[in-house]
Amino acid sequence: MKINLANIKKAKNLLNKRECVAIPTETVYGIAGNAYSDTACKKIFRLKNRPAKNPLIVHYYDLKKLRDDCELNDNFLKLYKKFCPGPITFVLNQKKTSKISKIATNKKKTLAVRFPKHPVTRILLKYLKFPIAAPSANISTKISAVTSSEVKEDFGKKIKYILEGGRSSDGIESTIIDLRKKPKILRLGALEIEIIQKILKKKISININPSKISAPGQLRIHYSPGIPIRLNVKKIKKEEAFLLFKKNKINKTNYYFLTKKGNLKEAAKNLYTILRKIKKDNYKSIAVGKIPNKGIGKTINDRLLRASKF
Ligand code: TXA
Ligand code: MG
């Protein structure tokens, strides 16, 4: 992708004025604002129609500014060294001196932090004097946007500027890991747990459906395309769209495929856009075939399960 510095400057100027802009990341697009500013963070919640108690992820360029705001620990440093910048979000304790807006965290003492890899947003972060709070670009409970035109579809003129970054390469949100005590996965995401376990050299507990919700990615209804979804379907009903993992020879207009050759990463990358497409093609419900439940396939199944609670 060709990088346009004038665009990045435009985003920077708006963010400096406490406005919100949409930014590309390798996972999904985000609705970004100055994480140190109450005004900017309030605007993010309003734009997304997001409940105030659902805290925002804060995006940093590197460790330099993070050290002002959070307590770092060994597990964090190990994972940071291996995977950052990249599609992993860490929950850490904030320092008493943290400058993060209380609006961003709903006064929580913890902070979810991430170091996005997308080159456009990395340049933007490097230019800025503050980290950016950015939840996924979608209306609360709906599917995240993975292209600038999908952001436009969802937010229209409500968003002042969309920084172009092409299609998100991962296409699914970051993996969230709580590192305050014993590492614990709070949201399955674009980085496979198996790889994280290898680096920490231990099995990590998974807590993605707690009775007490600590991350709304954990909400049971989420990532919804706005129409009903049935899972693990072998035989579809009349007039349903059929979403299959791997392309087959059947050539019917109501058949949609996540991947040509059965590649899980490709399937994750295509998932949200295909769900949107089915809705646009006017189907009233979606039947989904079986999707392999390994690696990123687990994340795909997690999102589809939550979407099916619509
Ligand atoms: O890939 C991503 O992570 C994208 C891109 C834009 O970076 N962002 C994203 O943000 O998915 P969002 O807000 O849609 O999801 C963040 C999740 C929410 O479920 C939120 O509740 C949780 O992170 N979260 C935020 N702060 C937290 C905290 N202090 N403790 C636990 N969970 C937290
Ligand atoms: Mg989200």
Side-chain angles (χ1 to χ4, degrees):
M1 211 208 116
K2 233 181 107 199
I3 293 195
N4 181 325
L5 285 178
N7 287 350
I8 298 178
K9 235 177 179 163
K10 186 164 177 191
K12 175 192 157 201
N13 291 336
L14 285 162
L15 288 164
N16 279 337
K17 286 190 220 149
R18 301 186 174 79
E19 295 294 350
C20 294
V21 300
I23 56 161
T25 87
E26 72 279 16
T27 57
V28 300
Y29 274 67
I31 301 292
N34 178 347
Y36 292 160
S37 156
D38 290 349
T39 311
C41 291
K42 274 185 196 156
K43 285 181 187 164
I44 297 176
F45 281 92
R46 210 175 309 137
L47 266 168
K48 281 199 56 154
N49 194 16
R50 182 179 176 106
K53 64 177 196 306
N54 185 355
L56 307 177
I57 295 182
V58 176
H59 299 64
Y60 289 83
Y61 179 74
D62 61 13
L63 294 186
K64 219 165 138 218
K65 284 196 197 71
L66 181 71
R67 288 184 196 282
D68 297 340
D69 298 327
C70 286
E71 311 276 1
L72 312 189
N73 58 45
D74 287 350
N75 283 335
F76 166 76
L77 291 169
K78 264 187 217 159
L79 296 176
Y80 176 85
K81 215 170 133 196
K82 185 72 191 175
F83 299 118
C84 295
I88 178 166
T89 295
F90 310 97
V91 174
L92 300 171
N93 281 316
Q94 285 192 69
K95 285 188 174 161
K96 288 227 166 59
T97 50
S98 166
K99 287 185 283 197
I100 298 298
S101 156
K102 302 257 182 313
I103 304 285
T105 58
N106 189 32
K107 303 201 182 79
K108 268 178 175 292
K109 293 203 167 66
T110 60
L111 188 69
V113 304
R114 176 162 130 64
F115 308 84
K117 188 161 70 184
H118 195 293
V120 169
T121 288
R122 264 186 80 69
I123 297 173
L124 174 65
L125 281 168
K126 202 168 177 194
Y127 277 167
L128 291 168
K129 294 204 165 62
F130 46 81
I132 49 190
S136 53
N138 58 288
I139 305 297
S140 207
T141 79
K142 296 291 191 297
I143 299 177
S144 305
V146 296
T147 64
S148 58
S149 51
E150 290 174 0
V151 178
K152 210 173 208 169
E153 240 170 61
D154 290 357
F155 291 91
K157 291 208 175 78
K158 285 197 292 184
I159 186 96
K160 286 244 153 71
Y161 186 61
I162 303 171
L163 182 56
E164 180 58 59
R167 177 175 293 276
S168 297
S169 58
D170 292 336
I172 211 151
E173 296 83 353
S174 62
T175 303
I176 303 183
I177 183 165
D178 185 346
L179 292 177
R180 290 172 300 154
K181 293 184 198 130
K182 250 177 83 196
K184 192 165 69 181
I185 299 289
L186 301 183
R187 178 176 74 184
L188 300 179
L191 189 67
E192 294 100 324
I193 305 171
E194 293 81 355
I195 306 182
I196 301 175
Q197 275 173 177
K198 238 183 225 164
I199 300 305
L200 293 183
K201 298 198 178 75
K202 59 180 149 221
K203 199 152 168 55
I204 309 168
S205 64
I206 299 179
N207 189 29
I208 55 174
N209 288 308
S211 46
K212 186 169 167 283
I213 306 280
S214 65
Q218 299 167 324
L219 286 176
R220 281 165 214 275
I221 308 172
H222 203 3
Y223 312 107
S224 166
I227 52 177
I229 295 186
R230 297 195 298 133
L231 303 180
N232 295 317
V233 174
K234 290 206 181 96
K235 202 160 175 261
I236 61 166
K237 294 181 191 157
K238 236 172 85 186
E239 293 170 359
E240 268 180 329
F242 200 10
L243 178 59
L244 289 160
F245 175 60
K246 194 174 155 189
K247 191 164 171 55
N248 63 23
K249 289 203 186 84
I250 303 172
N251 193 2
K252 285 193 183 162
T253 51
N254 63 331
Y255 278 49
Y256 296 80
F257 307 102
L258 288 174
T259 150
K260 278 200 188 109
K261 294 195 172 140
N263 179 311
L264 284 164
K265 290 208 160 177
E266 186 192 331
K269 182 172 178 175
N270 290 330
L271 177 68
Y272 289 161
T273 298
I274 293 180
L275 290 174
R276 281 174 188 261
K277 171 97 171 67
I278 293 174
K279 173 99 193 292
K280 276 183 220 149
D281 289 347
N282 244 328
Y283 288 95
K284 299 288 178 263
S285 60
I286 309 175
V288 185
K290 206 173 164 59
I291 291 164
N293 202 36
K294 54 175 193 218
I296 298 297
K298 284 189 190 149
T299 306
I300 299 175
N301 282 317
D302 170 82
R303 299 301 190 268
L304 286 169
L305 182 64
R306 290 174 212 275
S308 74
K309 309 287 182 192
F310 171 77

Coordinates of all heavy atoms in Angstrom, one line a residue, residues 48 136 138 222, ligand 2:
K48 N -20.3 5.6 18.6 CA -20.5 4.2 18.5 C -21.8 3.8 19.2 O -22.2 2.6 19.1 CB -19.4 3.4 19.2 CG -18.1 3.3 18.3 CD -17.2 2.2 18.8 CE -17.9 0.9 18.9 NZ -17.1 -0.3 18.8
S136 N -13.2 -0.8 18.0 CA -13.5 -1.2 16.7 C -14.5 -0.3 16.0 O -15.4 0.2 16.7 CB -13.9 -2.6 16.6 OG -15.1 -2.8 17.5
N138 N -17.5 0.2 14.5 CA -18.8 -0.5 14.2 C -19.7 0.1 15.2 O -19.3 0.6 16.3 CB -18.7 -2.0 14.4 CG -18.3 -2.4 15.8 OD1 -17.1 -2.2 16.1 ND2 -19.2 -2.9 16.6
H222 N -23.1 -10.2 20.0 CA -22.1 -9.2 19.5 C -21.8 -9.6 18.1 O -22.2 -10.7 17.6 CB -20.9 -9.3 20.4 CG -20.0 -8.0 20.3 ND1 -20.4 -6.9 19.6 CD2 -18.8 -7.7 20.9 CE1 -19.5 -6.0 19.8 NE2 -18.5 -6.5 20.5
Ligands
MG2 MG -15.6 -4.1 19.1

